[in-house]
């Protein structure tokens, strides 16, 4: 930063250690396009396309740099053959349908020029219809399954992964992985929180439900025979597991001292405001399941579908491997004295240092070779 000025593009990139960024202004819509490639050690850089109105385009780039790095960790933690990437379409304001379609098609053409070094998918502000539009001009899109009966929403898979991760967390923290009678607080009953709460209720957990949309939370609580908790009362509510499934940064220096739970394990991205908050949780004896590991289920399922696996039971089997991954992270944490977040990072670094399983990095072309019809 120079003289109190907000950081510019070059300031953001000065210390960034990724592969690079493609920057382009889409003149018809005034959108800044950032395609961020962070790491391709394990396979092509892959991560969703975020469309958003940012205070300034530079904020969009900052978001993309952070999210692309997060994808590197997510894929490596699960040892999946993809690298970290993300794209951001920083629009100047809401776009009408025609302008949006034009932008998406030009974005797709830009992806072709990268020849498969980056693959995209839906993210905040884009959906599977947008992915279909992009797929009209480029093959580098995940989440367009080429078959109308394939599952199109990643959220139930994310919920299943979180459910499996909570089981691993219960085992680690309480020495017993039975859900029966466990008090589990689901914060945010949207696309992930709602199917998660359902799974938890089905196995006998006492489900507590909170959402900023109070009517939705009350209805869910009633449907599941659970208990409604006001969104303001989540921090401080007594429970065995707090499952953040709404927004990020709910774990921080102000909230952690007030938590009354044994485990934090949920779907939200970026749950810790600062990395050091993992240490604060540890000091309070609260087990933290690192967010990018426990919430990887949807991304895993969609890339498996892209690779040609469309059998739902098999997808579910692969997603529940999150439970074993967390088991080994918790074990390493216990043996080494590292926090679970540090142990997850150590695992990622080991896998990246080893390189792709089998020694050969994959490409989208190889994957489509085995792919869908
Ligand atoms: P969603 O928008 O469908 O649901 C979010 C819910 O949280 C909504 O019901 C909303 O009313 C509620 N909410 C928002 N702010 C809140 C607050 N301050 N307090 C309480 N409730 C609040 O989103 P989603 O797809 O279910 O995703 C939830 C979280 O999980 C997000 O952080 C998302 O980034 C993360 N995530 C989702 C997926 C996926 O497959 N959908 C995958 C990985 C991570």
């Amino acid at each position: 930063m120079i003289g109190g000025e907000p950081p510019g593009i070059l300031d953001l990139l000065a210390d960034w250690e990724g592969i690079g960024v493609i920057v382009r202004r889409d003149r018809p819509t005034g959108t800044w396009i950032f395609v961020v490639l962070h790491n391709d050690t394990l396979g092509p850089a892959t991560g969703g396309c975020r469309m958003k109105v940012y205070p300034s385009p530079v904020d969009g780039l900052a978001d993309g740099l952070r999210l692309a790095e997060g994808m590197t960790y997510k894929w490596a933690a699960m040892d999946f053959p993809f690298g970290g990437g993300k794209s951001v379409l920083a629009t100047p304001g809401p776009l009408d349908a025609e302008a949006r379609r034009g932008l998406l098609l030009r974005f797709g053409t830009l992806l072709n020029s990268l020849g498969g070094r980056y693959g995209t998918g839906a993210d905040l502000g884009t959906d599977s219809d947008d992915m279909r539009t992009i797929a009209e001009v480029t093959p580098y899109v995940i989440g367009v399954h080429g078959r109308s009966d394939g599952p199109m929403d990643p959220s139930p898979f994310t919920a299943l992964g979180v459910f499996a991760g909570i089981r691993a967390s219960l085992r680690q923290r309480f020495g017993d992985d039975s859900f029966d009678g466990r008090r589990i607080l689901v914060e945010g009953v949207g696309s992930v929180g709602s199917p998660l709460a359902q799974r938890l209720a089905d196995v006998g957990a006492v489900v507590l439900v909170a959402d900023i949309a109070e009517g939705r939370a009350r209805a869910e609580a009633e449907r599941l025979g659970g208990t409604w908790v006001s969104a303001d009362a989540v921090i401080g509510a007594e429970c065995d597991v707090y499952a953040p499934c709404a927004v990020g940064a709910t774990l921080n220096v102000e909230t952690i001292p007030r938590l009354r739970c044994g485990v934090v394990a949920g779907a939200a991205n970026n749950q810790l405001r600062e990395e050091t908050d993992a240490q604060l949780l540890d000091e309070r004896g609260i087990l933290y399941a690192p967010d990018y590991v426990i919430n990887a289920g949807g991304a895993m399922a969609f890339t498996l579908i892209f690779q040609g696996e469309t059998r739902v039971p098999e997808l579910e089997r692969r997603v529940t491997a999150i439970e074993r991954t967390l088991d080994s992270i918790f074990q390493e944490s216990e043996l080494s004295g590292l926090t679970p977040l540090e142990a997850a990072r150590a695992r990622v670094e080991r896998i990246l240092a080893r390189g792709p399983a089998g020694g050969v990095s994959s490409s989208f072309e190889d994957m489509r070779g085995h792919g869908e019809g």
Side-chain angles (χ1 to χ4, degrees), residues 154-155 158 187-193 211-213 216 245-247 267-269 295:
S155 312
T158 305
E187 178 185 42
V189 276
S191 312
V192 178
D211 198 295
I212 203 158
R216 185 180 307 160
C245 297
V247 292
N269 279 314
N295 74 13

Side-chain angles (χ1 to χ4, degrees), residues 50 74 123-124 153-159 162 186-195 210-214 216-217 229-232 234 242 244-248 250 266-271 291 294-299:
R50 182 162 285 200
K74 183 168 290 200
D123 195 78
L124 206 83
D153 179 6
S155 312
F157 293 104
T158 305
V162 173
V186 179
E187 178 185 42
V189 276
S191 312
V192 178
S194 175
D211 198 295
I212 203 158
E214 186 181 322
R216 185 180 307 160
V229 173
S230 152
D232 299 336
V234 166
Y242 162 41
C245 297
V247 292
T250 61
N269 279 314
N270 305 314
Q271 292 170 29
D291 48 10
I294 195 171
N295 74 13

